[in-house]
Amino acid sequence: MIRFASLILLLLAGPIAAQELTLPAGARQLSDRASPLDSYDLPTGPYADGIVPARKTEGRVERITWRLQSGSSTTLQLLAPLRDQIVAQGYDVLFECEARACGGFDFRFGTEVVPTPDMYVAIQDYRFLSATRGNEVLSLLVSRNPPNGYVQMIRVTPVDAEVPPPLVIEEPVKQTVSLLAELERDGHVILDDLHFRTGEMTLGDGPFPSLGLIARFLKDNPDKRLALVGNTDDTGTLDANISVSTGRAQAVRARLIEEHGVAADRLEARGIGYLAPFTSNATPEGRDLNRRVEAVLLVN
């Protein structure tokens, strides 16, 4: 938990805390959206009387999300060390709540959340915190979808302020540590940076860093092969979903062969439709997470 909190500390650290910190292997950054000038409504209280009370802020807005292995940790256990770190950095906690006290469904959909699959929020299992430091504002949103936890940070810095320091560790290094370590540890990994148009089997233009990592892994491990497995949500018939999921897996296989030089006999492509859901299909967020392609490790 302390190692994960150090990632947030690294992001928030100003000139006073310039030490390099190690990115925890169990935490994987999913998105980083920064706007040089934008607005953000910072929640300042729970949902009440049909609204989420908020303070409108303007400036440089960063929206960053992570996924981590949460195990049996509660949302409070995930949030508490992050809260300690931002307080240590000089932030004052303005408002904090857990799912029901926040307003449940109404608060969740009344505040800004990065779209799935980059952020997942369980309606009955999340915590929120907003904080200020001078003219800067920050919010943290934490939720779980066991065995994974999800963290969203939104930070607004005045346009005339010094730009906050970026992560010390570069993105390719971070992805190499997390995605390939996860593949070797668990025998499979979700390629969650891939993009398909809704209902289509054509893979987007990319670039998709995960495919470069997969190609390098196969080059460095000539005794291993991969099965690319397409998955869908439960909308429609099983036959139709198997067809779509197979087509998407085949599109990923073709991209690895044609653009990354992977030998065709090192890759299989299969689709299993909605037969192996990652989570429940009862919510839009769950259905988004279930539409995925996984790489499964095969040892000759």
Side-chain angles (χ1 to χ4, degrees):
M1 198 66 60
I2 293 174
R3 296 178 63 205
F4 177 72
S6 68
L7 172 60
I8 300 293
L9 176 60
L10 178 59
L11 276 166
L12 299 176
I16 296 176
Q19 69 270 25
E20 294 186 9
L21 298 173
T22 302
L23 183 71
R28 184 175 175 199
Q29 186 173 321
L30 300 181
S31 66
D32 184 352
R33 300 170 171 87
S35 302
L37 180 60
D38 202 349
S39 60
Y40 170 56
D41 292 332
L42 178 76
T44 57
Y47 176 87
D49 300 324
I51 63 169
V52 174
R55 168 181 163 185
K56 183 173 288 293
T57 61
E58 295 182 351
R60 182 178 191 271
V61 182
E62 299 165 274
R63 300 168 173 92
I64 307 173
T65 63
W66 298 266
R67 185 180 69 218
L68 66 153
Q69 294 290 318
S70 63
S72 60
S73 298
T74 64
T75 53
L76 180 57
Q77 287 174 311
L78 298 179
L79 178 64
L82 309 184
R83 179 181 58 206
D84 292 343
Q85 295 290 344
I86 67 171
V87 169
Q89 287 295 307
Y91 281 85
D92 295 318
V93 175
L94 179 66
F95 166 63
E96 183 177 349
C97 63
E98 58 85 25
R100 181 175 296 182
C102 293
F105 175 94
D106 294 308
F107 183 90
R108 155 66 179 86
F109 287 97
T111 189
E112 182 176 339
V113 177
V114 172
T116 55
D118 293 334
M119 183 61 189
Y120 173 85
V121 180
I123 298 301
Q124 298 180 343
D125 190 16
Y126 68 86
R127 287 180 183 267
F128 178 85
L129 176 152
S130 58
T132 61
R133 181 175 66 180
N135 293 327
E136 296 180 32
V137 304
L138 175 146
S139 69
L140 292 173
L141 177 63
V142 175
S143 189
R144 299 188 316 137
N145 183 27
N148 295 312
Y150 291 83
V151 176
Q152 170 186 288
M153 183 187 77
I154 299 180
R155 177 172 61 175
V156 183
T157 308
V159 292
D160 57 350
E162 181 180 350
V163 176
L167 285 170
V168 172
I169 300 177
E170 296 179 357
E171 183 74 8
V173 175
K174 176 184 60 182
Q175 287 190 334
T176 301
V177 170
S178 57
L179 186 144
L180 297 185
E182 189 175 340
L183 175 63
E184 294 199 270
R185 182 190 68 226
D186 301 335
H188 65 96
V189 67
I190 298 173
L191 306 179
D192 54 14
D193 61 345
L194 303 183
H195 172 69
F196 296 90
R197 295 179 180 88
T198 302
E200 295 186 10
M201 293 177 279
T202 302
L203 183 61
D205 294 334
F208 302 114
S210 66
L211 298 187
L213 294 175
I214 289 296
R216 189 195 324 165
F217 173 81
L218 289 172
K219 180 179 179 180
D220 293 342
N221 296 273
D223 61 326
K224 294 181 173 62
R225 297 181 298 120
L226 291 178
L228 300 166
V229 182
N231 297 261
T232 67
D233 62 26
D234 63 353
T235 304
T237 67
L238 177 58
D239 288 344
N241 279 289
I242 287 179
S243 177
V244 170
S245 59
T246 299
R248 289 180 172 178
Q250 290 172 340
V252 177
R253 179 176 183 269
R255 184 69 58 87
L256 283 166
I257 293 170
E258 295 167 6
E259 295 192 9
H260 295 274
V262 177
D265 62 359
R266 306 284 302 282
L267 298 167
E268 298 180 15
R270 297 287 186 269
I272 57 175
Y274 53 63
L275 295 178
F278 178 76
T279 187
S280 170
N281 281 298
T283 65
E285 293 86 359
R287 291 192 291 274
D288 280 341
L289 290 170
N290 286 332
R291 295 191 290 267
R292 68 198 191 278
V293 174
E294 295 192 33
V296 178
L297 186 59
L298 306 173
V299 181
N300 291 333

